[in-house]
């Protein structure tokens, strides 16, 4: 599998995005980092159904810069590129993209260790309010973000 990762606000390439391919049971098949031109290539068996996560790595200087993204039920293929647009932290693209960000964080909470949690919590706290589920009680945190945050905080 191959493709490019670029900004959602333009066509600028993003380097050092970790692209990971997983089997349905979330075992890692392969991962790679995007190059300076935003390109990547991961080895996934042709024809296998995979989930692909586009994310930063906790040890890199861009760890708090980009929201993660997730594509599920992709049939691995070298003929057709899988390109992705990343949302900068602190910017809201649209509701569907916000759901994508939450799904990618949920997958990360299942496969990453505690060192990932601090960066994920920072990025989740920056999701714009347009995605937040209203709180069950006045003064309580929003439902969707609070639930994901609790899961990530369990790693710290």
């Amino acid at each position: 599998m191959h493709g490019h990762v670029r900004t959602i606000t333009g066509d600028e390439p993003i380097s050092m995005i970790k692209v990971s391919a997983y089997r349905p049971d979330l075992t890692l098949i392969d991962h790679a980092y995007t190059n300076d031109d935003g390109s990547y290539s991961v080895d996934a068996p042709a024809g296998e159904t995979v989930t692909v996560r586009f994310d930063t790595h906790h040890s890199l200087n861009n760890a708090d810069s980009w929201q993660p993204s997730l594509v599920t039920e992709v049939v691995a293929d070298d003929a057709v590129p899988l390109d992705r647009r990343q949302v900068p932290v602190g910017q809201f693209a649209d509701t569907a993209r916000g759901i994508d960000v939450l799904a990618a964080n949920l997958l990360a909470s299942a496969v990453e260790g505690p060192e990932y949690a601090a960066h994920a919590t920072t990025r989740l706290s920056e999701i714009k309010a347009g995605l937040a589920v209203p709180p069950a009680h006045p003064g309580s945190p929003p439902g969707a973000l609070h639930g994901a945050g609790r899961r990530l905080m369990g790693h710290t």
Side-chain angles (χ1 to χ4, degrees):
M1 298 181 70
H2 68 282
H4 287 85
V5 178
R6 302 185 194 294
T7 63
I8 199 161
T9 56
D11 204 28
E12 298 87 16
I14 307 172
S15 64
M16 298 310 295
I17 294 293
K18 184 178 179 183
V19 182
S20 304
Y22 300 91
R23 291 191 169 86
D25 66 358
L26 298 184
T27 57
L28 180 67
I29 297 171
D30 190 28
H31 75 269
Y33 290 90
T34 56
N35 298 321
D36 288 341
D37 66 354
S39 66
Y40 73 90
S41 178
V42 293
D43 290 327
E48 186 167 342
T49 300
V50 299
T51 293
V52 183
R53 180 169 61 114
F54 299 83
D55 205 345
T56 59
H57 188 270
H58 66 87
S59 67
L60 299 174
N61 63 3
N62 70 347
D64 294 329
S65 300
W66 300 99
Q67 294 289 7
S69 183
L70 189 68
V71 182
T72 63
E73 302 299 320
V74 175
V75 177
D77 181 353
D78 279 335
V80 178
L82 179 61
D83 293 342
R84 205 68 182 149
R85 305 276 186 207
Q86 297 295 108
V87 177
V89 169
Q91 185 175 79
F92 183 74
D94 55 47
T95 301
R97 195 65 173 167
I99 291 168
D100 172 45
V101 168
L102 287 176
N105 274 290
L106 288 173
L107 184 137
S109 73
V111 299
E112 296 288 345
E115 64 280 352
Y116 182 87
H119 296 285
T121 301
T122 298
R123 292 183 294 170
L124 278 170
S125 70
E126 294 294 322
I127 293 178
K128 297 295 183 183
L131 178 63
V133 174
H137 306 291
S140 66
L145 297 181
H146 184 61
R150 276 196 319 261
R151 174 122 168 97
L152 291 166
M153 292 299 286
H155 288 297
T156 58

